Amino acid sequence: MRHLIDPTDLTRKETEDIVDLALDIIANRQKYSDACKGKKLATLFYEPSTRTRLSFTAAMMELGGNVLGFSDAQNTSVSKGETVADTVKVISCFADIIAMRHFEEGAALVAARNARIPVINAGDGSHAHPTQTLTDLLTIKRELGRLDNLTIGFCGDLRFGRTVHSLIKALSRHTGIKVVLIAPEQLRLPDYMKLEVCDKHGVDYREVQTMEEVMPELDILYMTRVQKERFLDEDEFDRVKDSFILTPEKLATGKDTLRVLHPLPRVNEITVEVDNDPRAAYFRQVENGKFVRMALILTLLKWAEENPELGYKLPDGTVVNSKRCSNRRCISNMENVETLFRPCDDGIESYRCAYCESKEK
């Protein structure tokens, strides 16, 4: 049995197979209308969501299946102190597959290690969001016809943006990828992502201050929100905020083939005037999320039937460590779970938390 907790849980070929299946679903909707008849998806959403939760619901319904679950954990036994591990053990009695969003980083990994059915990570804190990554890949493929030889600019909150981290991981396995990092000093991409993902896989990357200086060379501009609450100095936020707002004027120097993506929700980082530009692909991106989640549900259910063996394969070298994770939002600091660490890829004898990827204390 397989789960999807991190984009790297899928090989490049498996990822491409899911994208190709989504393309076939788009072309042959009726063919898949009863593909999940009699199956049940449990949506366990411990924090607010519009697109992701409804996208999973629509995906399962269009496959002919049923949906159960919750969108507010306070109305469940979680409010009584039930752990993630116990919750998924219970849900495994009622459903065939789980889609879970949680505010604690690493919660999806705990779920996968305890569930008797496949688990899909629908976002765990600021750690990972692999189904958004599949959505992004399908969108790029449909819009540009390729996943190789791309220059992609990531703009906004690159430090805490789980969608950014997940997409960079996925694209690092493709050839000819150039990454441009457009962010204020406080929200730059974490060093471990540069070292252990970009450097390790030979991804060409550079950091710049404004989108205007790189707009003409981009194939994809991936926008995210610059969050005021991330700044210690409000004056500093006021100084830089306009540099990370996309307007028609800034977009004017972009290629005709440029596509603008955004995981949404949007606040003010893309003006509404940009919506009328045919290069704005973010609402088409939303619909692609439904199709790729249909493909993922079908794939994981098929794999579960072919190999029902339980368990989640941890990275090689993972150990139980007596030290604690340095991340206060990590599930290992919030629930009674094994403290698991894997060796860092930084050439130093240190370990990184298996749940959230923060270094040990």
Side-chain angles (χ1 to χ4, degrees):
M1 186 174 65
R2 298 277 297 277
H3 309 272
L4 180 60
I5 307 305
D6 186 89
T8 56
D9 290 339
L10 301 171
T11 66
R12 173 175 168 169
K13 183 181 184 307
E14 288 169 342
T15 300
E16 291 175 343
D17 286 346
I18 290 171
V19 169
D20 288 342
L21 178 55
L23 291 170
D24 192 59
I25 290 171
I26 293 168
N28 303 281
R29 302 277 288 275
Q30 192 59 36
K31 172 182 170 183
Y32 295 91
S33 60
D34 288 323
C36 285
K37 187 175 182 179
K39 298 291 186 180
K40 295 184 288 293
L41 166 71
T43 55
L44 313 183
F45 277 66
Y46 290 75
E47 64 177 4
S49 169
T50 301
R51 278 150 302 281
T52 303
R53 184 174 63 84
L54 294 181
S55 179
F56 269 112
T57 299
M60 193 57 165
M61 291 174 69
E62 291 201 22
L63 290 169
N66 296 302
V67 182
L68 65 155
F70 55 81
S71 59
D72 184 354
Q74 292 309 306
N75 294 327
T76 73
S77 292
V78 173
S79 63
K80 303 175 184 177
E82 185 172 67
T83 64
V84 168
D86 284 358
T87 296
V88 298
K89 287 175 183 176
V90 169
I91 299 299
S92 294
C93 302
F94 306 141
D96 300 286
I97 187 168
I98 291 171
M100 187 177 84
R101 169 166 290 185
H102 205 289
F103 54 89
E104 294 176 0
E105 294 166 21
L109 176 57
V110 173
R113 299 189 74 215
N114 287 276
R116 292 187 287 109
I117 56 178
V119 173
I120 301 170
N121 182 6
D124 60 333
S126 61
H127 176 230
H129 196 349
T131 64
Q132 180 64 51
T133 300
L134 290 171
T135 299
D136 299 339
L137 294 175
L138 175 60
T139 303
I140 295 170
K141 185 71 176 287
R142 293 190 74 188
E143 297 287 334
L144 297 182
R146 68 187 191 277
L147 293 173
D148 294 305
N149 302 313
L150 294 169
T151 298
I152 178 167
F154 291 95
C155 182
D157 183 355
L158 311 189
R159 181 179 179 187
F160 300 100
R162 60 190 173 196
T163 60
V164 171
H165 300 174
S166 292
L167 185 53
I168 290 176
K169 283 182 180 181
L171 288 174
S172 71
R173 298 188 289 189
H174 292 264
T175 59
I177 299 298
K178 296 182 180 179
V179 170
V180 183
L181 306 169
I182 312 162
E185 183 73 30
Q186 294 91 331
L187 300 178
R188 286 187 173 181
L189 191 73
D191 288 340
Y192 84 87
M193 285 290 299
K194 301 173 194 173
L195 185 64
E196 299 180 34
V197 178
C198 294
D199 289 348
K200 180 180 178 180
H201 295 280
V203 175
D204 184 353
Y205 72 91
R206 73 184 197 271
E207 295 177 306
V208 299
Q209 295 295 319
T210 66
M211 65 180 80
E212 293 96 316
E213 61 192 284
V214 295
M215 189 71 75
E217 65 190 83
L218 299 180
D219 297 306
I220 298 289
L221 175 60
Y222 196 98
M223 295 294 299
T224 65
R225 181 168 66 97
V226 174
Q227 301 173 70
K228 185 175 182 178
E229 59 268 27
R230 301 297 190 186
F231 286 76
L232 297 177
D233 185 341
E234 188 170 331
D235 290 338
E236 176 67 11
F237 171 78
D238 290 336
R239 187 181 68 80
V240 304
K241 64 180 180 180
D242 291 342
S243 299
F244 307 98
I245 297 176
L246 181 63
T247 64
E249 293 73 26
K250 292 178 182 178
L251 192 55
T253 60
K255 301 175 184 177
D256 291 341
T257 55
L258 169 69
R259 293 296 182 267
V260 180
L261 273 60
H262 192 307
L264 302 180
R266 165 180 62 180
V267 181
N268 66 343
E269 61 276 9
I270 301 177
T271 64
V272 294
E273 291 79 11
V274 173
D275 297 354
N276 297 321
D277 193 304
R279 294 172 292 181
Y282 32 88
F283 291 116
R284 298 192 292 274
Q285 185 181 358
V286 172
E287 187 174 23
N288 287 331
K290 178 184 67 176
F291 296 124
V292 85
R293 289 178 176 108
M294 291 171 72
L296 178 62
I297 289 168
L298 284 173
T299 299
L300 290 180
L301 288 174
K302 177 185 175 184
W303 288 347
E305 290 178 0
E306 293 173 348
N307 182 13
E309 183 178 346
L310 302 181
Y312 179 81
K313 187 179 185 306
L314 293 167
D316 293 340
T318 301
V319 297
V320 178
N321 195 318
S322 60
K323 294 186 178 180
R324 304 297 300 179
C325 175
S326 59
N327 178 9
R328 289 180 300 173
R329 290 174 59 87
C330 179
I331 194 167
S332 66
N333 287 319
M334 302 179 84
E335 294 194 8
N336 183 24
V337 299
E338 281 187 309
T339 53
L340 299 172
F341 289 84
R342 61 169 178 79
C344 292
D345 294 328
D346 56 6
I348 304 172
E349 290 188 6
S350 57
Y351 285 82
R352 193 171 295 290
C353 177
Y355 298 104
C356 71
E357 299 186 74
S358 299
K359 281 198 171 183
E360 64 183 352
K361 283 186 178 179

